[in-house]
Amino acid sequence: ARLSVTAEYTTANGEQVVGHICDAESARTLCGPFADYDSSNGWFNVAVRAGELNPDKSLAYAKGTAFGQVAAGSNAEFEILPRDGLQNLLTTNGYLFQIRMQHQESPYRLLGQTRFQAEQNAVRSAASYYGRYRALYSGKYLFSIKYNGKAIPVQQGGLTNSNGTVEVDVIAAPTNGARSFIQHQLITLGGEEALASTAGDPTTFSIYTSDAFGNIKKSGGEEFSVKIGPVAEAHIKDNKNGTYTANYTMTVAGTYDMEVQVNGMYLFQP
């Protein structure tokens, strides 16, 4: 008997190729390295392998907000689906992807990471690739992902961008007391500077907030605790732009300690 088995597939360059798998007089003997013979039914079981990775047919997508808005310092993760020219999913390890985040208002940029997860789970029936980045500075970024210098389409909110880029908005993380500060009128007392206030007169000072990475907050909503001495407290006005205005009135002259806290942390007082 003579057996001839071929497979047609498309390469990453779009070329039609006919792969010669087996052509032998003694099919069972010589085709063994290429196909498994099943004696129960007389069939040769031929495994058809996927083709080369095709960036145009592959896809990067995020179930969360990795391609939208993320907080500074957070790990933003997304999934990468490498496919061949016929959109067969490639599930073997070894592919290297270039992931970059470029800040659009400064030269700052960062590179992302890729990990391969071989284990299957209830959600994924095959091994998967995952990408991740962590931006520390707030602002608008341009995300891009490539394979061998060629863009991989990015899917965001059901829309696919074929040029492999998407704009990401990195916002400031939660307010950090050590990086925030107050601006208060000062006097020199005993050779050292101290906060100044006059008994009976309303005193106003400003609070400026930042996150742990030094990003200036541009929105409000924080809860502050301001105590002056054993009983006095300040009233806080939220300016809705990351700054706050505090007002208090002391009626008894003297020297007092002021404590300003946000998220359980003391603010820096210059």
Short mmCIF file of all heavy atoms in Angstrom, two decimals, residues 137 174-182 208-216 262 265-268:
data_model
loop_
_atom_site.label_atom_id
_atom_site.label_comp_id
_atom_site.label_asym_id
_atom_site.label_seq_id
_atom_site.Cartn_x
_atom_site.Cartn_y
_atom_site.Cartn_z
N TYR A 137 4.22 57.02 37.85
CA TYR A 137 3.94 58.45 37.67
C TYR A 137 2.62 58.63 36.91
O TYR A 137 2.37 57.97 35.91
CB TYR A 137 5.09 59.12 36.92
CG TYR A 137 6.42 58.93 37.62
CD1 TYR A 137 7.40 58.13 37.07
CD2 TYR A 137 6.67 59.53 38.85
CE1 TYR A 137 8.61 57.93 37.71
CE2 TYR A 137 7.87 59.34 39.50
CZ TYR A 137 8.84 58.54 38.93
OH TYR A 137 10.02 58.33 39.58
N PRO A 174 -3.97 56.46 46.30
CA PRO A 174 -4.53 57.08 47.50
C PRO A 174 -3.54 58.05 48.17
O PRO A 174 -2.33 57.87 48.11
CB PRO A 174 -4.84 55.89 48.40
CG PRO A 174 -5.11 54.77 47.44
CD PRO A 174 -4.17 54.99 46.31
N THR A 175 -4.08 59.05 48.81
CA THR A 175 -3.27 60.09 49.45
C THR A 175 -2.34 59.49 50.50
O THR A 175 -2.74 58.62 51.29
CB THR A 175 -4.17 61.15 50.10
OG1 THR A 175 -4.93 61.78 49.07
CG2 THR A 175 -3.36 62.20 50.83
N ASN A 176 -1.11 59.97 50.51
CA ASN A 176 -0.11 59.53 51.47
C ASN A 176 0.28 60.72 52.35
O ASN A 176 0.68 61.77 51.84
CB ASN A 176 1.11 58.98 50.73
CG ASN A 176 2.18 58.49 51.68
OD1 ASN A 176 3.00 59.27 52.16
ND2 ASN A 176 2.19 57.20 51.94
N GLY A 177 0.14 60.56 53.66
CA GLY A 177 0.42 61.66 54.57
C GLY A 177 1.84 62.16 54.51
O GLY A 177 2.10 63.37 54.59
N ALA A 178 2.80 61.25 54.36
CA ALA A 178 4.21 61.64 54.36
C ALA A 178 4.59 62.47 53.15
O ALA A 178 5.57 63.21 53.17
CB ALA A 178 5.10 60.40 54.45
N ARG A 179 3.80 62.35 52.05
CA ARG A 179 4.10 63.11 50.83
C ARG A 179 3.18 64.32 50.67
O ARG A 179 3.32 65.08 49.71
CB ARG A 179 3.99 62.21 49.60
CG ARG A 179 4.90 60.98 49.60
CD ARG A 179 6.37 61.36 49.71
NE ARG A 179 6.83 62.05 48.54
CZ ARG A 179 7.39 61.46 47.48
NH1 ARG A 179 7.56 60.15 47.48
NH2 ARG A 179 7.79 62.17 46.45
N SER A 180 2.22 64.50 51.59
CA SER A 180 1.34 65.66 51.57
C SER A 180 1.82 66.68 52.60
O SER A 180 2.62 66.35 53.49
CB SER A 180 -0.10 65.23 51.88
OG SER A 180 -0.54 64.24 50.96
N PHE A 181 1.33 67.90 52.51
CA PHE A 181 1.82 68.92 53.44
C PHE A 181 0.77 70.02 53.62
O PHE A 181 -0.19 70.13 52.85
CB PHE A 181 3.13 69.53 52.94
CG PHE A 181 3.02 70.29 51.65
CD1 PHE A 181 2.81 71.67 51.65
CD2 PHE A 181 3.12 69.64 50.43
CE1 PHE A 181 2.70 72.37 50.46
CE2 PHE A 181 3.01 70.34 49.24
CZ PHE A 181 2.79 71.72 49.26
N ILE A 182 1.00 70.85 54.66
CA ILE A 182 0.13 71.99 54.91
C ILE A 182 0.91 73.28 54.67
O ILE A 182 2.15 73.29 54.75
CB ILE A 182 -0.44 71.98 56.35
CG1 ILE A 182 0.69 72.23 57.38
CG2 ILE A 182 -1.16 70.68 56.64
CD1 ILE A 182 0.17 72.42 58.78
N TYR A 208 -2.24 70.36 50.90
CA TYR A 208 -1.93 69.89 49.55
C TYR A 208 -1.62 68.39 49.62
O TYR A 208 -0.78 67.97 50.42
CB TYR A 208 -0.74 70.65 48.97
CG TYR A 208 -1.00 72.14 48.81
CD1 TYR A 208 -0.74 73.02 49.86
CD2 TYR A 208 -1.52 72.65 47.64
CE1 TYR A 208 -1.00 74.38 49.73
CE2 TYR A 208 -1.77 74.02 47.49
CZ TYR A 208 -1.50 74.88 48.55
OH TYR A 208 -1.76 76.21 48.41
N THR A 209 -2.29 67.61 48.80
CA THR A 209 -2.18 66.16 48.90
C THR A 209 -1.43 65.55 47.71
O THR A 209 -1.51 66.04 46.58
CB THR A 209 -3.58 65.51 48.99
OG1 THR A 209 -4.36 65.92 47.86
CG2 THR A 209 -4.28 65.97 50.26
N SER A 210 -0.70 64.48 48.02
CA SER A 210 0.01 63.70 47.00
C SER A 210 -0.07 62.23 47.40
O SER A 210 -0.38 61.89 48.55
CB SER A 210 1.48 64.13 46.90
OG SER A 210 1.60 65.48 46.50
N ASP A 211 0.24 61.36 46.45
CA ASP A 211 0.27 59.93 46.78
C ASP A 211 1.68 59.51 47.20
O ASP A 211 2.58 60.35 47.31
CB ASP A 211 -0.25 59.08 45.61
CG ASP A 211 0.66 59.14 44.38
OD1 ASP A 211 1.78 59.67 44.48
OD2 ASP A 211 0.24 58.64 43.32
N ALA A 212 1.88 58.23 47.43
CA ALA A 212 3.16 57.74 47.92
C ALA A 212 4.29 57.92 46.92
O ALA A 212 5.47 57.87 47.29
CB ALA A 212 3.04 56.26 48.29
N PHE A 213 3.96 58.15 45.64
CA PHE A 213 4.98 58.29 44.60
C PHE A 213 5.23 59.76 44.24
O PHE A 213 5.96 60.04 43.30
CB PHE A 213 4.57 57.51 43.36
CG PHE A 213 4.18 56.09 43.66
CD1 PHE A 213 2.84 55.72 43.70
CD2 PHE A 213 5.14 55.14 43.94
CE1 PHE A 213 2.47 54.42 44.00
CE2 PHE A 213 4.78 53.84 44.25
CZ PHE A 213 3.44 53.48 44.28
N GLY A 214 4.61 60.67 44.98
CA GLY A 214 4.80 62.09 44.74
C GLY A 214 3.88 62.67 43.69
O GLY A 214 4.03 63.84 43.32
N ASN A 215 2.91 61.89 43.22
CA ASN A 215 1.95 62.42 42.24
C ASN A 215 0.97 63.34 42.95
O ASN A 215 0.37 62.98 43.97
CB ASN A 215 1.18 61.28 41.57
CG ASN A 215 2.09 60.36 40.77
OD1 ASN A 215 2.80 60.81 39.89
ND2 ASN A 215 2.06 59.08 41.09
N ILE A 216 0.79 64.54 42.43
CA ILE A 216 -0.13 65.50 43.02
C ILE A 216 -1.57 65.06 42.77
O ILE A 216 -1.95 64.75 41.64
CB ILE A 216 0.11 66.91 42.43
CG1 ILE A 216 1.52 67.38 42.78
CG2 ILE A 216 -0.91 67.89 42.95
CD1 ILE A 216 1.90 68.69 42.12
N VAL A 262 -4.42 62.07 57.61
CA VAL A 262 -5.24 61.59 56.51
C VAL A 262 -4.94 60.11 56.33
O VAL A 262 -3.77 59.69 56.34
CB VAL A 262 -4.98 62.37 55.20
CG1 VAL A 262 -3.54 62.23 54.77
CG2 VAL A 262 -5.93 61.90 54.11
N MET A 265 -2.43 58.64 58.65
CA MET A 265 -1.04 59.07 58.59
C MET A 265 -0.94 60.55 58.85
O MET A 265 -1.78 61.34 58.42
CB MET A 265 -0.45 58.75 57.20
CG MET A 265 -0.37 57.27 56.88
SD MET A 265 0.23 56.98 55.18
CE MET A 265 -1.23 57.45 54.26
N TYR A 266 0.13 60.96 59.57
CA TYR A 266 0.35 62.36 59.82
C TYR A 266 0.87 63.05 58.56
O TYR A 266 1.67 62.49 57.80
CB TYR A 266 1.38 62.55 60.95
CG TYR A 266 0.84 62.16 62.31
CD1 TYR A 266 1.20 60.94 62.89
CD2 TYR A 266 -0.03 63.00 63.00
CE1 TYR A 266 0.71 60.59 64.14
CE2 TYR A 266 -0.52 62.64 64.25
CZ TYR A 266 -0.15 61.44 64.81
OH TYR A 266 -0.64 61.08 66.03
N LEU A 267 0.41 64.29 58.36
CA LEU A 267 0.89 65.08 57.24
C LEU A 267 2.20 65.76 57.58
O LEU A 267 2.47 66.07 58.75
CB LEU A 267 -0.14 66.15 56.84
CG LEU A 267 -1.07 65.79 55.68
CD1 LEU A 267 -2.03 64.70 56.12
CD2 LEU A 267 -1.83 67.01 55.19
N PHE A 268 3.00 65.98 56.56
CA PHE A 268 4.25 66.71 56.73
C PHE A 268 3.94 68.18 56.97
O PHE A 268 3.14 68.78 56.26
CB PHE A 268 5.12 66.55 55.48
CG PHE A 268 6.39 67.36 55.51
CD1 PHE A 268 7.36 67.10 56.44
CD2 PHE A 268 6.58 68.38 54.61
CE1 PHE A 268 8.54 67.84 56.46
CE2 PHE A 268 7.74 69.13 54.63
CZ PHE A 268 8.71 68.86 55.56
#
